[in-house]
Amino acid sequence: AAQEAAVRAQAEAVRRLKQDKADPDEIAKEVAKLLQMKAQLGGDEGKPKFVLKTPKGTRDYGPKQMAIRERVFGAIVSCFKRHGAEVIDTPVFELKETLTGKYGEDSKLIYDLKDQGGELLSLRYDLTVPFARYLAMNKITNIKRYHIAKVYRRDNPAMTRGRYREFYQCDFDIAGQFDPMIPDAECLKIVHEILSDLQLGDFVIKVNDRRILDGMFAVCGVPDSKFRTICSSVDKLDKVPWEEVRSEMVGEKGLSPEAADRIGEYVQLHGGLDLIERLLQDPKLSQNKLAKEGLGDMKLLFEYLTLFGITGKISFDLSLARGLDYYTGVIFEAVLLQQENEHVEELVGVGSVAGGGRYDGLVGMFDPKGRKVPCVGVSIGIERIFSILEQRLEASEEKIRTTETQVLVASAQKKLLEERLKLISELWDAGIKAEMLYKKSPKLLNQLQYCEDTGIPLVAIVGEQELKDGVIKLRIVATREEVNIRRESLVEEIRMRTSQP
Amino acid sequence: AAQEAAVRAQAEAVRRLKQDKADPDEIAKEVAKLLQMKAQLGGDEGKPKFVLKTPKGTRDYGPKQMAIRERVFGAIVSCFKRHGAEVIDTPVFELKETLTGKYGEDSKLIYDLKDQGGELLSLRYDLTVPFARYLAMNKITNIKRYHIAKVYRRDNPAMTRGRYREFYQCDFDIAGQFDPMIPDAECLKIVHEILSDLQLGDFVIKVNDRRILDGMFAVCGVPDSKFRTICSSVDKLDKVPWEEVRSEMVGEKGLSPEAADRIGEYVQLHGGLDLIERLLQDPKLSQNKLAKEGLGDMKLLFEYLTLFGITGKISFDLSLARGLDYYTGVIFEAVLLQQENEHVEELVGVGSVAGGGRYDGLVGMFDPKGRKVPCVGVSIGIERIFSILEQRLEASEEKIRTTETQVLVASAQKKLLEERLKLISELWDAGIKAEMLYKKSPKLLNQLQYCEDTGIPLVAIVGEQELKDGVIKLRIVATREEVNIRRESLVEEIRMRTSQP
């Protein structure tokens, strides 16, 4: 409306210049300005141009994308169910105060709802905080659940790499007081199963422990008050080189260069049981209570992972920090390694596809009496996996079906709409997936073409002679073979011919 | 924070009064005020009391609710797929302007997001407008799709009756230029299939046509400019009696009493083909072009519904109006009738569980050149169905399983954690749904109790003697029978014993 007013003012200015018989050049200049303004408004009527798009950082899923998405969800859900998880759902928004103070530096990325009277609300930022709120609110001290839903972050989107402002998380968490590292090991087993199942190529799961990090910071001479902010710096090591992280620590965050260098030595370490054993003997770390606890549990974890037979893909990595504030113990992150067929010599990480860890204090933050419920969980970052599978499918030119229709009900002659409607109704009522064209007298060629285009394997053709004979002509699209089937046997015949082997 | 500041100011006031040795009554009064303010803040520390709840009009779904929800979704999705629908998804929010001017009087119920810089966004109010935006944006002129997702309305919630601010819609729509009433008839068939399948009790699907309504308004003497607002009044007839609707029309909306009375005669009519035939002969209605078109199509619709064999549940009802602005042709609404076992003599409608209609102009509102894509669709209102099924389940005391776990991996003796981990890992890798207790040495009794509580049908018991013999003891929970199974046959045995018949 403001733009329209500006156009009107400009038109009035032009009119006045003409009336005043002003310099033709000046009139021409002002007319050009007017035309440009009108063009921006999208048309002579001055009707504002409507922007036809989805909000920044979001996208629609068309039928093909949905087919991929459902395939991925299928694999993930069946893994979660294999591990005996229940499922819950929570609202897409929470009271604003529920999210306050849970995400550290990332809080600025939370979407708030407009105050339209009533409660102040924010869109959920992850599924972990709503889960903790759910546990505290319902006084649940013991649950193994999954939750698949969209979360919202006002981050800079990078859509080709699968980074969106609205994106799915697939979370599996185990809450309850149990013996050390048994649920933690199961979470890693789950990541291993899902990434193997989806065949995304080689991957590695990095593991660390917040207690080892805190112990490391302590023995390196980081003051207590700087643990969290230095931890945030370490978290950047998967994206930027050590030199930059070091200068952030020393420059922006005021850490002594000596402390930073000591950290620098630790964070380049990664390995397996051998490294854990070595650090348990480390003269400084072994003196720190937290680090010793963390290392002891890490050793136990590796023993369990050995029994699961998955240590080949696990790397104990002292540079892994994870951004979120709420972790208290084991943390982990799964990274896809560059595909070999892309002919790159080094194995470069193409990004994290799963992450998680232990957060024993979060539920207590919601409980009126501060009662703690220890939790450990994993979140599968589905969007990056979608991008990879989408790109792969496009490259392969594999044709993907977007419906499950078993048969098209067609007719060879005109004026058989009623007979098609009767037959398709019979098929639907018998549970057969059937379609027909919504035309009174469609051409047979168009009906057959529709099957080719959409992958429908069978055509049930109604014809006058066949109706008299009590049969339906069944055409197999792939072979063009046609057989007459007695009407009462049609359902059985379609079932047989379209059953999955 | 503002409240805290007020408490501090009050405390300071009390301190000063005491210092000034003021009147003890006045001190006491101010102290009482201070204590009350502190109590409101929730505790002596002055720490604000945290409210542990979901936002107004929303709720969590626990595992039991989710089990019901997935059952209902399963029935609905399998119907949509039976009719050959593809599936799409759109973002939970849209540009605010995308929703502007689509919902008439209901627009005030739209949730807006806070302006945090960038685009102005609103949460989707239904799935129909995002669908139309999707079609126009991608220049799709022909699609049959379903979409199941949450929508948001700042309405007055009535949660026990299944009315929420965040709720699911399950939409099926057919877009494209087709022969009259064939897709419309399919939408009604779908509602009939779903409501029959879910066994919610008796129901009726009311049908009308916006063109018949508009023709009726015209012949009753309603001025053109009042069509929409009088239509909104008629829409209330399922909730309030005619007298109230009439007085709204005459009083608030300035309609002449004569016109209102003429409408009153029409809107009490309902029936089937006979009523359509009668109205086609109606001296006034038959002279109106719109009404005649609408009645002609209604007749065609009933012919198709007769072929589908579902006219028994369909009622052509002139009082059906539907609130939303965008309908242009057939409209319909499915209503559950009171259960007979509730011993109520009259059949009273317990509310709408599905609705829809034809909206041929909506996509054109988004297309830069106004190109129209005719659409017809149905929306299943799932929340009311959930409420009914939830209440029914609670009443029946039927035990509902919330996991699909086939077997619990247990041990009879202590110190067999490693053996349990090895076995459960083998089972998971073979695709068996298996759980174990996260304890080093759980008691056998606790392990068996867990199976009773959660409905796990089998227990695979690891024991020292069995390990030596290369067998696992398999216990059938229901019968307490125990059999030794060779370890290499265990997977097959579990599959066999837990396969659905």
Side-chain angles (χ1 to χ4, degrees):
Chain A
Q3 268 183 301
E4 273 176 35
V7 169
R8 272 196 301 275
Q10 179 67 16
E12 174 62 18
V14 169
R15 200 189 56 77
R16 232 180 303 114
L17 285 172
K18 281 182 181 169
Q19 202 179 27
D20 298 348
K21 296 197 167 59
D23 174 17
D25 277 3
E26 199 184 338
I27 296 181
K29 213 178 77 189
E30 294 301 314
V31 166
K33 213 158 137 192
L34 174 63
L35 289 175
Q36 198 197 348
M37 286 169 91
K38 276 192 176 171
Q40 279 170 352
L41 279 177
D44 281 343
E45 330 88 299
K47 193 182 157 199
K49 201 171 189 171
F50 186 81
V51 188
L52 205 55
K53 67 186 286 288
T54 62
K56 185 178 176 188
T58 69
R59 65 159 178 168
D60 295 320
Y61 282 82
K64 275 195 186 156
Q65 285 90 43
M66 286 299 282
I68 301 170
R69 190 171 114 174
E70 303 217 318
R71 205 186 278 178
V72 176
F73 281 162
I76 291 171
V77 168
S78 83
C79 175
F80 290 164
K81 287 189 173 175
R82 194 158 59 235
H83 288 261
E86 304 181 282
V87 58
I88 70 158
D89 193 21
T90 65
V92 79
F93 41 61
E94 294 278 346
L95 297 185
K96 188 175 163 57
E97 58 179 342
T98 299
L99 307 190
T100 303
K102 310 298 187 304
Y103 299 108
E105 292 178 11
D106 289 349
S107 295
K108 62 181 184 297
L109 303 180
I110 294 174
Y111 277 97
D112 291 330
L113 269 74
K114 190 169 153 185
D115 182 1
Q116 296 170 287
E119 301 160 331
L120 291 181
L121 307 174
S122 302
L123 297 187
R124 62 184 162 211
Y125 183 83
D126 64 7
L127 302 177
T128 309
V129 168
F131 175 55
R133 191 267 306 146
Y134 169 80
L135 295 185
M137 187 172 139
N138 296 287
K139 299 191 170 52
I140 296 167
T141 55
N142 210 316
I143 192 173
K144 177 164 55 181
R145 79 88 182 83
Y146 71 92
H147 187 187
I148 296 184
K150 288 174 177 176
V151 301
Y152 299 87
R153 300 185 182 180
R154 296 178 56 253
D155 213 338
N156 268 333
M159 322 243 280
T160 49
R161 282 185 291 136
R163 224 168 71 200
Y164 293 88
R165 289 181 156 197
E166 173 188 60
F167 59 98
Y168 267 99
Q169 284 195 334
C170 305
D171 279 25
F172 171 98
D173 294 79
I174 301 171
Q177 186 68 58
F178 301 117
D179 282 327
M181 307 319 278
I182 313 179
D184 313 59
E186 185 169 1
C187 288
L188 291 168
K189 175 83 170 89
I190 282 175
V191 176
H192 192 277
E193 283 179 22
I194 289 173
L195 294 184
S196 307
D197 194 14
L198 289 174
Q199 298 180 293
L200 298 166
D202 205 9
F203 63 88
V204 65
I205 309 175
K206 299 179 190 174
V207 188
N208 198 1
D209 192 299
R210 274 281 166 91
R211 292 167 297 174
I212 300 177
L213 278 168
D214 283 353
M216 177 182 91
F217 293 145
V219 304
C220 290
V222 179
D224 281 18
S225 62
K226 291 208 163 95
F227 276 17
R228 280 286 82 85
T229 185
I230 293 301
C231 192
S232 292
S233 299
V234 171
D235 186 45
K236 295 174 184 162
L237 274 175
D238 56 341
K239 286 175 208 104
V240 299
W242 164 249
E243 280 315 313
E244 249 175 79
V245 170
R246 184 185 182 281
S247 83
E248 178 181 299
M249 288 177 174
V250 177
E252 285 172 45
K253 302 193 168 172
L255 191 67
S256 73
E258 298 73 31
D261 289 336
R262 273 181 230 124
I263 292 173
E265 275 170 44
Y266 280 117
V267 293
Q268 56 185 287
L269 300 175
H270 52 92
L273 258 177
D274 50 331
L275 176 61
I276 301 169
E277 297 288 7
R278 184 143 60 90
L279 291 176
L280 275 168
Q281 307 304 322
D282 182 281
K284 283 178 291 172
L285 270 186
S286 62
Q287 296 309 306
N288 180 285
K289 189 169 167 287
L290 271 180
K292 217 175 143 192
E293 259 180 52
L295 285 166
D297 276 349
M298 189 60 70
K299 188 176 166 189
L300 196 56
L301 178 67
F302 266 79
E303 282 167 20
Y304 296 158
L305 298 180
T306 307
L307 292 166
F308 287 160
I310 60 170
T311 44
K313 304 268 186 215
I314 311 274
S315 166
F316 170 43
D317 188 325
L318 283 166
S319 74
L320 179 72
R322 305 271 306 150
L324 300 175
D325 263 11
Y326 49 63
Y327 291 116
T328 55
V330 162
I331 48 177
F332 51 87
E333 199 164 289
V335 177
L336 293 186
L337 302 173
Q338 200 78 326
Q339 308 290 313
E340 278 173 38
N341 57 10
E342 289 177 48
H343 304 296
V344 192
E345 282 202 8
E346 287 166 289
L347 288 180
V348 186
V350 293
S352 150
V353 288
R358 179 162 281 285
Y359 50 101
D360 288 348
L362 191 57
V363 179
M365 289 174 75
F366 290 107
D367 189 276
K369 292 184 179 156
R371 278 168 299 215
K372 286 191 177 179
V373 179
C375 293
V376 62
V378 51
S379 182
I380 312 285
I382 238 12
E383 307 295 337
R384 202 160 299 191
I385 295 175
F386 288 153
S387 311
I388 294 168
L389 293 181
E390 248 186 284
Q391 284 164 24
R392 193 183 288 177
L393 200 79
E394 257 169 57
S396 79
E397 290 179 19
E398 183 202 334
K399 224 176 172 181
I400 190 165
R401 275 200 76 181
T402 55
T403 68
E404 297 172 12
T405 310
Q406 295 165 286
V407 62
L408 185 82
V409 174
S411 59
Q413 296 99 357
K414 289 187 175 184
K415 299 200 180 162
L416 286 171
L417 173 61
E418 284 74 13
E419 291 300 336
R420 280 191 290 142
L421 288 171
K422 258 164 76 177
L423 179 59
I424 201 168
S425 184
E426 281 173 37
L427 295 177
W428 284 332
D429 292 343
I432 299 291
K433 294 170 189 135
E435 286 184 74
M436 55 178 273
L437 297 198
Y438 302 120
K439 296 278 178 190
K440 269 197 249 179
S441 302
K443 291 192 180 116
L444 185 59
L445 201 67
N446 289 348
Q447 297 174 87
L448 297 179
Q449 188 58 47
Y450 184 78
C451 294
E452 295 281 355
D453 293 345
T454 59
I456 300 177
L458 299 173
V459 196
I461 305 173
V462 181
E464 275 170 18
Q465 188 54 49
E466 287 84 356
L467 285 170
K468 281 183 203 138
D469 299 346
V471 298
I472 301 288
K473 190 182 280 173
L474 194 66
R475 180 184 169 109
I476 293 87
V477 176
T479 63
R480 301 181 181 189
E481 178 196 352
E482 294 187 341
V483 277
N484 279 343
I485 309 287
R486 292 214 59 78
R487 189 158 182 148
E488 57 271 23
S489 314
L490 184 63
V491 166
E492 203 37 59
E493 186 74 22
I494 293 170
R495 267 197 207 124
M496 201 195 69
R497 287 184 180 267
T498 53
S499 68
Q500 302 299 328
Chain B
Q3 267 182 302
E4 275 177 35
V7 169
R8 272 196 301 274
Q10 178 67 15
E12 173 62 13
V14 169
R15 201 190 54 76
R16 232 178 305 114
L17 286 170
K18 283 182 177 168
Q19 201 179 31
D20 298 348
K21 297 198 166 62
D23 173 19
D25 276 1
E26 199 185 336
I27 295 181
K29 212 178 74 187
E30 295 300 315
V31 166
K33 213 156 132 193
L34 174 65
L35 289 175
Q36 197 197 348
M37 287 170 89
K38 274 192 177 170
Q40 280 170 349
L41 278 178
D44 280 343
E45 330 89 293
K47 192 184 161 199
K49 200 170 191 171
F50 186 80
V51 189
L52 207 54
K53 68 186 283 291
T54 62
K56 185 178 178 189
T58 70
R59 65 157 177 170
D60 295 320
Y61 283 82
K64 275 194 185 156
Q65 284 89 43
M66 286 299 282
I68 301 171
R69 190 170 116 175
E70 302 218 317
R71 207 185 275 179
V72 176
F73 281 163
I76 291 171
V77 168
S78 82
C79 175
F80 290 164
K81 287 189 174 173
R82 194 157 59 236
H83 288 260
E86 303 183 281
V87 57
I88 71 158
D89 193 20
T90 64
V92 80
F93 42 60
E94 294 277 346
L95 297 185
K96 188 175 164 58
E97 57 178 343
T98 299
L99 306 190
T100 303
K102 310 300 186 305
Y103 300 107
E105 291 177 10
D106 289 350
S107 296
K108 61 181 185 298
L109 303 180
I110 294 174
Y111 277 97
D112 292 329
L113 268 77
K114 189 167 154 186
D115 181 1
Q116 294 171 288
E119 300 159 331
L120 292 181
L121 307 174
S122 301
L123 297 187
R124 62 183 162 210
Y125 183 83
D126 65 7
L127 303 178
T128 309
V129 168
F131 175 53
R133 193 266 308 145
Y134 170 79
L135 295 186
M137 189 173 136
N138 297 286
K139 299 191 173 49
I140 295 166
T141 55
N142 209 315
I143 193 174
K144 177 163 56 182
R145 79 90 183 80
Y146 71 92
H147 187 187
I148 296 184
K150 289 175 176 173
V151 302
Y152 299 87
R153 301 186 182 178
R154 296 179 53 253
D155 214 337
N156 269 333
M159 321 245 279
T160 50
R161 285 186 290 138
R163 225 168 71 201
Y164 293 87
R165 290 182 156 196
E166 173 187 60
F167 60 98
Y168 267 100
Q169 285 196 334
C170 305
D171 279 24
F172 171 97
D173 293 79
I174 302 172
Q177 186 68 58
F178 301 117
D179 283 325
M181 309 316 281
I182 311 178
D184 313 61
E186 184 167 1
C187 288
L188 291 168
K189 176 81 171 90
I190 282 175
V191 176
H192 191 278
E193 283 179 21
I194 289 172
L195 294 184
S196 306
D197 194 13
L198 290 175
Q199 296 180 294
L200 299 166
D202 205 10
F203 61 89
V204 64
I205 310 175
K206 299 178 190 173
V207 188
N208 198 0
D209 192 298
R210 274 281 165 93
R211 291 167 298 172
I212 300 177
L213 278 168
D214 283 353
M216 177 183 91
F217 293 146
V219 305
C220 291
V222 179
D224 281 18
S225 61
K226 292 209 161 96
F227 276 17
R228 282 284 85 86
T229 184
I230 294 301
C231 192
S232 292
S233 299
V234 171
D235 186 45
K236 294 173 184 161
L237 275 174
D238 57 338
K239 285 174 210 106
V240 300
W242 165 247
E243 281 316 313
E244 248 174 79
V245 170
R246 185 185 180 282
S247 83
E248 179 182 296
M249 287 177 175
V250 177
E252 285 173 45
K253 302 194 169 170
L255 192 64
S256 74
E258 298 74 32
D261 290 337
R262 275 181 230 124
I263 293 173
E265 276 169 42
Y266 280 116
V267 295
Q268 54 184 289
L269 301 175
H270 52 93
L273 256 177
D274 50 331
L275 176 61
I276 301 170
E277 296 288 6
R278 185 145 57 89
L279 291 177
L280 274 167
Q281 306 304 322
D282 183 282
K284 283 178 292 175
L285 270 187
S286 62
Q287 297 308 307
N288 181 284
K289 189 170 165 286
L290 270 179
K292 217 174 139 190
E293 259 182 51
L295 287 165
D297 277 349
M298 190 60 71
K299 191 177 163 189
L300 197 57
L301 178 67
F302 266 78
E303 283 167 21
Y304 296 159
L305 299 180
T306 308
L307 292 166
F308 288 161
I310 60 170
T311 44
K313 303 268 188 215
I314 311 277
S315 168
F316 170 43
D317 189 325
L318 283 165
S319 75
L320 178 71
R322 305 272 305 151
L324 299 177
D325 264 10
Y326 49 63
Y327 292 116
T328 55
V330 162
I331 48 177
F332 51 86
E333 199 165 289
V335 177
L336 293 185
L337 302 172
Q338 200 79 327
Q339 308 288 314
E340 279 171 38
N341 58 10
E342 290 177 47
H343 304 297
V344 191
E345 283 201 6
E346 287 165 290
L347 289 180
V348 187
V350 294
S352 151
V353 289
R358 179 162 282 284
Y359 50 102
D360 287 349
L362 191 58
V363 179
M365 290 175 74
F366 290 108
D367 189 277
K369 293 185 179 154
R371 276 168 300 215
K372 286 189 176 180
V373 178
C375 293
V376 63
V378 51
S379 182
I380 312 286
I382 239 8
E383 307 296 337
R384 202 160 299 190
I385 296 175
F386 288 153
S387 310
I388 295 168
L389 293 181
E390 248 187 284
Q391 284 165 24
R392 193 183 288 176
L393 200 81
E394 256 169 56
S396 79
E397 290 180 18
E398 182 201 333
K399 223 176 172 180
I400 190 164
R401 276 200 75 182
T402 55
T403 67
E404 299 173 9
T405 309
Q406 295 165 288
V407 62
L408 184 82
V409 174
S411 57
Q413 297 99 356
K414 289 188 175 186
K415 297 199 180 164
L416 286 172
L417 173 62
E418 283 74 13
E419 291 298 336
R420 280 191 291 140
L421 288 171
K422 257 164 77 176
L423 179 60
I424 201 168
S425 183
E426 281 172 37
L427 295 177
W428 286 331
D429 292 343
I432 298 290
K433 295 172 187 131
E435 287 184 71
M436 56 177 273
L437 298 197
Y438 303 120
K439 296 276 177 191
K440 268 197 250 179
S441 303
K443 290 191 181 117
L444 186 58
L445 201 66
N446 290 347
Q447 297 174 90
L448 298 179
Q449 188 59 47
Y450 184 78
C451 293
E452 296 279 355
D453 294 344
T454 59
I456 300 176
L458 300 173
V459 195
I461 305 173
V462 180
E464 273 171 19
Q465 188 54 48
E466 288 84 356
L467 283 170
K468 277 182 205 138
D469 298 345
V471 297
I472 301 288
K473 189 182 281 174
L474 194 65
R475 180 183 169 112
I476 293 88
V477 176
T479 62
R480 300 181 180 189
E481 178 195 354
E482 294 188 343
V483 277
N484 279 342
I485 309 286
R486 294 214 57 79
R487 188 161 185 144
E488 57 272 25
S489 314
L490 184 63
V491 167
E492 203 39 57
E493 186 75 21
I494 294 172
R495 270 199 204 122
M496 203 196 64
R497 288 184 179 266
T498 53
S499 69
Q500 301 300 325

